[in-house]
Amino acid sequence: MFEESMKTNHAALARKNEQMIDRWLYFTSEKSALDEKTRCMAVLAALLGCQGMDEFERMVPVALDCGVSPVEIQEIVYQATAYLGMGRVAPFYTLLDRIFDARSIQIEDDRQTTMLETRLRQGNDIQIAYFGPQMKNTWEKGGDRARVNEWLASNCFGDYYTRKGLTDSIREMITFCFIMAQGGCENQLRGHTNGNLNVGNSKSFLIAVIEACVPWIGYPRSLNAFAIVEEVCKGEEKK
């Protein structure tokens, strides 16, 4: 389904670029260790990270064809807000609304599970589960960045990671893709490589995710991600 849908949804791009798009499509058809659904979610997240809006529009139908639900796609866009900022993600909200309207796809807005009074504690609980007990109440010892540490718990984790619609392992995987694809955030990529390992996403899984994204984000950022995964996993082996 992936290869067929890719050809269909890139046909317009191929009309005046046939040789190059045919070769690129051949590249994207290389065998992946990921199932088609997971592969599509990784690619969508990477396209958000690198701001590939036109290609995101082409890949949403591919993702739907490969079993990614509208809710899952919307949650990928929503979570990108925490890692890319609304300044870069708002156009994707508008684009996705337009795609879903054209397909008569309606989604209930009912996946929030925290209240303003509980989001800090619930978000910090997730941070502790993903990254360890040292994350408890980090804002109390955050110095100049105490407020940002509190926002990380209440907003980034309390408003996004607590939502229904995606599993913990998929949320950490797409976060890895957001960070990898935007580049220049290597320290955060190290942290979320650890986060992925802690929620059960193995080194081999992360390598497969990087491989799946190479055709969309290019080699430099992909190779940086490979190096960081190798570095973090070697560090874990020495413990």
Side-chain angles (χ1 to χ4, degrees):
M1 177 58 71
F2 181 83
E3 290 182 37
E4 180 181 339
S5 187
M6 285 289 290
K7 288 179 182 178
T8 299
N9 287 287
H10 290 81
L13 197 62
R15 286 194 189 107
K16 294 187 177 182
N17 308 280
E18 184 176 359
Q19 287 188 342
M20 183 49 60
I21 297 304
D22 281 353
R23 191 59 58 90
W24 182 79
L25 287 170
Y26 179 84
F27 180 34
T28 67
S29 71
E30 294 280 354
K31 186 176 180 180
S32 174
L34 302 178
D35 61 75
E36 291 184 346
K37 178 178 178 179
T38 304
R39 185 180 189 182
C40 287
M41 288 194 282
V43 169
L44 289 176
L47 288 168
L48 278 149
C50 72
Q51 295 292 279
M53 184 175 292
D54 288 351
E55 184 62 11
F56 185 90
E57 185 170 8
R58 285 184 283 269
M59 286 303 298
V60 168
V62 177
L64 291 169
D65 287 345
C66 291
V68 185
S69 73
V71 165
E72 289 168 325
I73 296 172
Q74 190 176 65
E75 283 297 320
I76 291 170
V77 173
Y78 284 177
Q79 184 154 325
T81 313
Y83 291 94
L84 306 175
M86 185 59 84
R88 286 187 284 178
V89 180
F92 289 87
Y93 280 66
T94 303
L95 172 60
L96 194 60
D97 287 344
R98 187 168 71 245
I99 293 171
F100 284 174
D101 285 346
R103 288 173 171 249
S104 299
I105 294 172
Q106 296 185 347
I107 303 175
E108 293 294 326
D109 188 11
D110 60 355
R111 299 186 298 280
Q112 187 169 289
T113 66
T114 59
M115 297 181 293
L116 292 177
E117 297 79 11
T118 64
R119 63 205 273 267
L120 177 62
R121 182 73 269 141
Q122 289 177 251
N124 193 220
D125 286 344
I126 292 177
Q127 288 180 299
I128 293 166
Y130 281 22
F131 303 106
Q134 73 277 6
M135 298 303 296
K136 185 172 181 178
N137 297 355
T138 54
W139 54 90
E140 294 178 354
K141 47 190 180 246
D144 289 340
R145 55 172 276 181
R147 291 187 70 191
V148 175
N149 285 353
E150 184 173 349
W151 293 338
L152 280 166
S154 62
N155 173 246
C156 184
F157 285 87
D159 288 339
Y160 295 94
Y161 280 81
T162 57
R163 291 177 59 84
K164 301 174 186 176
L166 294 173
T167 65
D168 286 351
S169 61
I170 292 297
R171 285 197 183 277
E172 263 304 277
M173 183 271 285
I174 63 172
T175 296
F176 180 91
C177 293
F178 298 145
I179 298 170
M180 167 180 66
Q182 67 179 303
C185 300
E186 283 72 22
N187 283 338
Q188 289 72 28
L189 194 59
R190 289 183 182 92
H192 282 280
T193 297
N194 267 315
N196 271 275
L197 297 173
N198 290 338
V199 298
N201 291 335
S202 66
K203 176 183 178 182
S204 60
F205 176 79
L206 290 175
I207 288 172
V209 167
I210 299 168
E211 289 176 347
C213 294
V214 171
W216 284 270
I217 68 172
Y219 288 100
R221 290 176 183 180
S222 302
L223 292 172
N224 281 350
F226 274 118
I228 286 172
V229 169
E230 187 66 27
E231 171 194 321
V232 170
C233 289
K234 279 186 178 179
E236 288 298 306
E237 290 169 4
K238 291 178 181 178
K239 289 182 180 179

